[in-house]
Amino acid sequence: MKYRLACFDLDGTLLDTIGGLTSSLNAARRMNNLSPQTEDQVKTFINNGVVRFIERSLKADPGEYSEELKQKLLKDNVSYYDSHYLENTRPYNGIVEVLTRLKSEGMLLACISNKNDEPAGKLIDHFFPNLFDYVSGSVEGVERKPSSEPVERCLKALGVDNSEAIYIGDTDTDIKTAKNSQMSSVSCTWGYKVREFLMENGAERICTNPIDLYSLLR
C-alpha cells in the first residue's frame, strides 16, 4: 500500500450532512426570529467550526448583528443539533465500502474534523462502527484546521510519520491542512466545493467518486 494512514475530513467528505446542518441552523434561526436560509447558502458557511458557521450565517443577513445575538444563535444551534444530529445525514454512496476495504487491508483510518468533538465522535460511531482508529473534532485548547496541530496529534497517537499518511477532504481548508502538515492530499468533488474551486485553491489530486478513492490510496 502507498500509505499507512488515511486521514479524512467529516462533513462533505465522509458524510452528507448539509440537510441536517441546514435544519438545525434554521431551527435556531426561528427561535431568534430570523428568516430561514437555503442549503446552498449553508454550504458556504461550512469550513472552520461552529462559531465561524454562525458568524457567516448572520453576516449573510442584511444589517448589523450583536454579539448577544451571535451567542444566542450559537447556543440554540448547538443544543438543537446535539439532539438531532442523525437527521438528514448519510454516508456518501460507496464510502463505507471503500473504508471497509482499506481497513481490511491494514490501512489505519482517522477522521479529523472542525465539527465539535462530541457530535463528530457520535457520527463516526453511528455510521462507521469499528472502522476508525482515531477520531478528533474541535476541542478547546487545540487549534482548528487548517492548522497542522490536530493532524500532528493524530500522527503522534498512531505512531505514523507524515510521509506515510494522506489527507482526504472537500474544501480549501483541507488542502491547506495537508500542506501545513506536509502531507499528500486528495480533494473530493462530491462534497461542498466544486472541482474548479478546489483546483484554484491548490488541489494536489481530484477524486470525483468515492469508489475511485480506493485505487488512489492503494
Side-chain angles (χ1 to χ4, degrees), residues 123-143:
L123 286 166
I124 290 293
D125 287 343
H126 180 82
F127 288 107
F128 311 105
N130 305 313
L131 284 177
F132 280 84
D133 301 281
Y134 182 94
V135 179
S136 72
S138 176
V139 293
E140 188 174 350
V142 178
E143 293 182 0

Side-chain angles (χ1 to χ4, degrees), residues 16-93:
D16 182 357
T17 57
I18 192 63
L21 292 172
T22 302
S23 297
S24 179
L25 176 62
N26 283 334
R29 287 177 64 87
R30 285 194 298 272
M31 295 176 204
N32 291 278
N33 301 312
L34 298 171
S35 59
Q37 293 174 320
T38 68
E39 287 190 1
D40 284 342
Q41 285 180 294
V42 174
K43 283 181 182 180
T44 69
F45 306 154
I46 301 168
N47 228 353
N48 305 104
V50 67
V51 175
R52 292 288 291 127
F53 178 74
I54 294 300
E55 288 175 350
R56 288 168 177 153
S57 173
L58 287 170
K59 286 179 180 178
D61 293 329
E64 297 292 326
Y65 71 85
S66 66
E67 181 65 21
E68 181 181 5
L69 176 58
K70 185 184 90 170
Q71 294 301 327
K72 179 68 165 51
L73 188 62
L74 175 63
K75 180 180 178 182
D76 291 338
N77 180 75
V78 169
S79 177
Y80 187 93
Y81 190 77
D82 281 350
S83 57
H84 298 80
Y85 64 95
L86 294 179
E87 296 178 6
N88 300 308
T89 294
R90 63 175 182 83
Y92 286 101
N93 292 336

Side-chain angles (χ1 to χ4, degrees), residues 99-125:
L99 294 174
T100 301
R101 193 169 180 184
L102 291 171
K103 182 76 171 179
S104 71
E105 295 183 8
M107 182 175 279
L108 295 169
L109 303 177
C111 175
I112 302 173
S113 175
N114 277 342
K115 185 188 289 292
N116 282 350
D117 191 62
E118 185 175 356
K122 288 179 177 178
L123 286 166
I124 290 293
D125 287 343

